[in-house]
């Protein structure tokens, strides 16, 4: 495989070497998330538990296996999934500032949660079944996100131009935002506070029991994204060129919407809306691999997204004994990247 120039160290660096470095970084951050947290646990005790020797302290055992491990897995999958969703959208719409929030999918999830928290008081009764708490929040977010995704899929059959579909997504975002504001206006103080806390995002809400369905959905979405690498490469040069190569553009666009929707909806439902990861990480990957080939960009984006989310999760406990919301940290990293991309774009115009 030909060498590419590593823009950080300015030396020839193969894609395999970059991938290995990325895997090593993600692994190191994952392990660091097991050793570091809001509650201090001696490193020797963590090592003993990881090696199967157990611990006499039941609280430490619970924190490691039922809190830190699920949290690290959630951060890894959510960061990777949102990052690759952003890459798919930026390629499909040929817009460097496209992200998972652009099409209104996470807006639909926010609206679903706003309805149950602000309008229904956090509980829903249907016959003899009553849903409340986090289970209802997850279901509401999934229903809201999937409703927007279904609407976009139907619109994509009539709006042949990607720009029109992009505008439709932005309009959906405005509508959901307005409806949420209306619900906030008539809600109780407690409901507004609960919704605001959920909207700040956290990787700590996915418990051991919720981890399996979350992981299955995210891994399925990531696998579908990887399968789209070849048609995405063709679509870089336009839909007509892709069609001439035998790519079914309409089916590819539908698959892209479904994949992005699954990744965004699942992450938002379980973790709340996570800002800037899907927008900024694809640009970090492009700066690193110096290539627009999705066979290189996809693994780089996945690894950088996972590493960024794990790093943010570490930072969420760096300055306090309680977990800070993830959305307090991600803009501090993501916003400078977006500003850099905008500067580069203006400079090359």
């Amino acid at each position: 495989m030909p060498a590419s120039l590593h823009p950080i160290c300015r030396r020839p660096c193969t894609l395999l070497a970059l991938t290995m470095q990325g895997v090593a970084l993600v692994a190191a951050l994952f392990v660091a998330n097991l050793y570091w947290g809001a509650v201090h646990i001696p490193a020797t005790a963590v090592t003993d538990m990881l090696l199967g020797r157990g611990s006499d302290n039941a609280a430490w055992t619970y924190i490691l296996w039922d809190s830190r491990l699920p949290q690290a897995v959630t951060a890894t999958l959510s960061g990777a999934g949102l990052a690759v969703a952003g890459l798919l959208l930026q390629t499909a719409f040929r817009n460097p500032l496209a992200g998972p929030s652009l099409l209104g999918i996470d807006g639909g999830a926010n609206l679903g949660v706003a309805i149950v928290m602000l309008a229904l008081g956090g509980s829903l009764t249907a016959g003899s079944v009553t849903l409340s708490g986090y289970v209802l929040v997850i279901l509401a977010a999934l229903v809201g996100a999937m409703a927007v995704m279904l609407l976009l899929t139907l619109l994509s059959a009539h709006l042949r131009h990607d720009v029109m579909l992009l505008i439709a997504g932005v309009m959906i975002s405005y509508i959901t935002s307005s409806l949420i504001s209306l619900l906030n206006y008539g809600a109780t103080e407690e409901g507004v506070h609960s919704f605001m806390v959920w909207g700040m995002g956290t990787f700590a809400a996915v418990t051991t029991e919720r981890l399996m369905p979350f992981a299955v959905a995210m891994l399925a979405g990531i696998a579908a994204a990887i399968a789209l690498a070849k048609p995405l490469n063709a679509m870089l040069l336009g839909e007509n060129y892709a069609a001439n190569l035998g790519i079914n553009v309409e089916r590819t666009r539908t698959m892209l919407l479904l994949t992005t929707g699954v990744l965004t909806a699942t992450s938002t439902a379980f973790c709340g809306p996570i800002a800037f990861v899907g927008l900024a990480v694809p640009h970090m990957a492009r700066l690193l691999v110096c290539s627009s080939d999705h066979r290189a960009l996809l693994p780089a984006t996945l690894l950088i997204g996972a590493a960024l989310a794990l790093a943010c999760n570490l930072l969420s406990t760096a300055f306090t004994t309680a977990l800070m919301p993830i959305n307090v940290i991600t803009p501090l990293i993501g916003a400078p990247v977006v500003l850099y991309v905008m500067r580069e774009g203006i400079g090359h115009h």
Side-chain angles (χ1 to χ4, degrees):
M1 182 175 292
S4 61
L5 189 63
H6 193 311
I8 295 178
C9 55
R10 302 297 180 186
R11 61 179 175 81
C13 189
T14 64
L15 179 60
L16 177 60
L18 286 173
T19 303
M20 294 302 294
Q21 292 171 14
V23 170
L25 176 61
V26 171
L29 287 169
F30 189 95
V31 172
N33 272 265
L34 300 181
Y35 279 84
W36 179 272
V39 176
H40 173 70
I41 302 176
T44 53
V46 175
T47 302
D48 286 341
M49 287 186 282
L50 291 176
L51 294 177
R53 292 196 284 263
S55 172
D56 294 332
N57 191 315
W60 290 352
T61 302
Y62 176 83
I63 289 171
L64 177 63
W65 297 116
D66 293 278
S67 178
R68 291 186 185 178
L69 181 61
Q71 199 169 325
V73 174
T74 301
T76 301
L77 293 177
S78 184
L82 289 175
V84 79
L87 176 62
L88 296 183
L89 292 174
Q90 289 173 13
T91 299
F93 295 111
R94 293 186 289 278
N95 186 332
L97 296 180
S101 62
L102 193 65
L103 290 179
I105 297 173
D106 65 346
N110 291 346
L111 179 59
V113 175
I115 290 172
V116 300
M117 282 190 176
L118 303 178
L120 301 179
S123 65
L124 176 64
T125 301
S128 60
V129 179
T130 299
L131 295 175
S132 62
Y134 204 75
V135 173
L136 180 59
V137 170
I138 292 175
L139 290 176
L142 285 173
V143 170
M146 292 301 175
V148 172
M149 188 175 67
L150 177 61
L151 178 60
L152 288 171
T153 303
L154 294 174
L155 287 174
S156 68
H158 302 283
L159 302 176
R160 300 294 179 180
H161 203 286
D162 286 336
V163 174
M164 299 302 293
L165 186 60
L166 186 66
I167 293 173
V170 173
M171 293 303 103
I172 291 172
S173 295
Y174 277 120
I175 292 171
T176 56
S177 178
S178 295
L179 291 174
I180 291 171
S181 297
L182 183 62
L183 289 170
N184 267 311
Y185 182 76
T188 63
E189 182 178 348
E190 182 182 355
V192 172
H193 180 265
S194 297
F195 181 70
M196 183 187 70
V197 171
W198 176 84
M200 290 182 177
T202 179
F203 297 129
V206 181
T207 61
T208 307
E209 294 77 18
R210 300 168 188 153
L211 186 60
M212 183 58 70
F214 171 79
V216 169
M218 294 300 292
L219 289 173
I222 290 171
I226 294 173
L228 289 171
K230 183 178 178 181
L232 284 172
N233 278 341
M235 290 181 69
L236 282 173
L237 299 176
E239 292 185 359
N240 292 334
Y241 180 83
N244 290 335
L245 291 179
I247 302 296
N248 188 323
V249 175
E250 185 175 340
R251 185 174 65 184
T252 299
R253 186 163 63 166
T254 301
M255 284 299 300
L256 186 147
L257 284 174
L258 289 173
T259 300
T260 303
V262 168
L263 291 170
T264 306
T266 304
S267 177
T268 305
F270 282 84
C271 307
I274 306 298
F276 277 103
V277 174
L279 178 61
V281 170
H283 296 297
M284 296 179 182
R286 291 187 187 95
L287 292 172
L288 187 65
V289 301
C290 294
S291 171
S292 57
D293 187 346
H294 285 77
R295 292 172 297 180
L297 269 180
L298 272 169
T301 302
L302 287 167
L303 291 170
I304 295 173
L308 177 63
L310 286 166
C312 289
N313 195 56
L314 273 178
L315 289 173
S316 69
T317 59
F319 307 106
T320 177
T321 56
L323 284 173
M324 286 193 297
I326 293 298
N327 284 339
V328 173
I329 303 168
T330 50
L332 299 177
I333 301 174
V337 174
V338 174
L339 291 174
Y340 176 78
V341 170
M342 292 174 64
R343 187 185 71 85
E344 288 295 298
I346 294 173
H348 286 98
H349 185 61

